[in-house]
């Protein structure tokens, strides 16, 4: 009788481990960003609406044009994670609202992953070439570039 209880407990334990193992492999989806829906974009009229009216109707984006605020860019990504595997981008959507020099809407464009290659969204920081150099090391490093003749007018 005791052997039957042990076998039953082992079966139940194996079943619980299998269920937990399967649950750990199920995908987890995370959504990042914001893209206005079609109804909100339909209310924007090129040639009539301005930056202020767009900001009131669909909100201010987290990104805008680099050159003279040439546009508003709304980006949304859906990322799938499975267990210990690297997360993959399932979908990415970008809505670009362009403005002319006066701040009037000139056009609305929508892009997705199907429109081209995946563009990774990342922040780029320019590395400094002064890493691991103290002030004294920089000063002594410049002594070889010093030409005393340049002070005397001898080129």
């Amino acid at each position: 009788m005791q052997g039957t209880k042990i076998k039953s407990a082992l079966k139940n334990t194996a079943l619980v481990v299998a269920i937990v193992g399967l649950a750990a492999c199920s995908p987890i989806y995370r959504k990042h960003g914001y893209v206005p829906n079609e109804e909100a974009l339909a209310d924007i009229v090129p040639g009539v609406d301005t930056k202020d009216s767009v900001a009131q109707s669909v909100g201010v984006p987290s990104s805008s044009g680099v050159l003279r605020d040439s546009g508003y860019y709304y980006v949304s990504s859906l990322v799938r994670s499975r267990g210990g595997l690297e997360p993959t981008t399932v979908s990415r959507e970008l809505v670009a609202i362009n403005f002319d020099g006066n701040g009037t809407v000139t056009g609305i464009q929508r892009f997705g992953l199907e429109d081209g290659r995946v563009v990774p969204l990342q922040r780029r920081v320019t590395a400094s070439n002064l890493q691991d150099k103290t002030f004294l090391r920089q000063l002594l490093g410049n002594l070889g570039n010093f030409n005393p003749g340049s002070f005397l007018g001898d080129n």
Side-chain angles (χ1 to χ4, degrees), residues 32 75-77 92-94 118-123:
H32 301 278
V75 182
S76 175
S77 298
R92 179 167 294 141
E93 191 175 5
L94 179 131
V118 177
V119 178
L121 300 177
Q122 59 183 325
R123 178 181 295 170

Side-chain angles (χ1 to χ4, degrees), residues 44-137:
I44 298 172
V45 180
V48 175
D49 281 310
T50 63
K51 286 184 182 184
D52 293 333
S53 64
V54 169
Q56 288 177 354
S57 63
V58 296
V60 179
S62 59
S63 301
S64 61
V66 183
L67 301 173
R68 293 175 273 137
D69 289 332
S70 60
Y72 282 172
Y73 303 102
Y74 301 88
V75 182
S76 175
S77 298
L78 184 64
V79 179
R80 178 181 59 212
S81 301
R82 284 190 179 168
L85 300 176
E86 183 176 344
T88 56
T89 302
V90 177
S91 70
R92 179 167 294 141
E93 191 175 5
L94 179 131
V95 171
I97 301 176
N98 301 317
F99 301 101
D100 63 8
N102 297 327
T104 305
V105 175
T106 59
I108 301 171
Q109 297 172 312
R110 182 179 293 273
F111 301 100
L113 285 178
E114 63 277 356
D115 294 323
R117 61 190 173 104
V118 177
V119 178
L121 300 177
Q122 59 183 325
R123 178 181 295 170
R124 294 187 181 179
V125 178
T126 305
S128 171
N129 62 355
L130 300 178
Q131 295 174 350
D132 298 330
K133 289 189 178 182
T134 62
F135 174 73
L136 186 59
R137 181 173 281 177

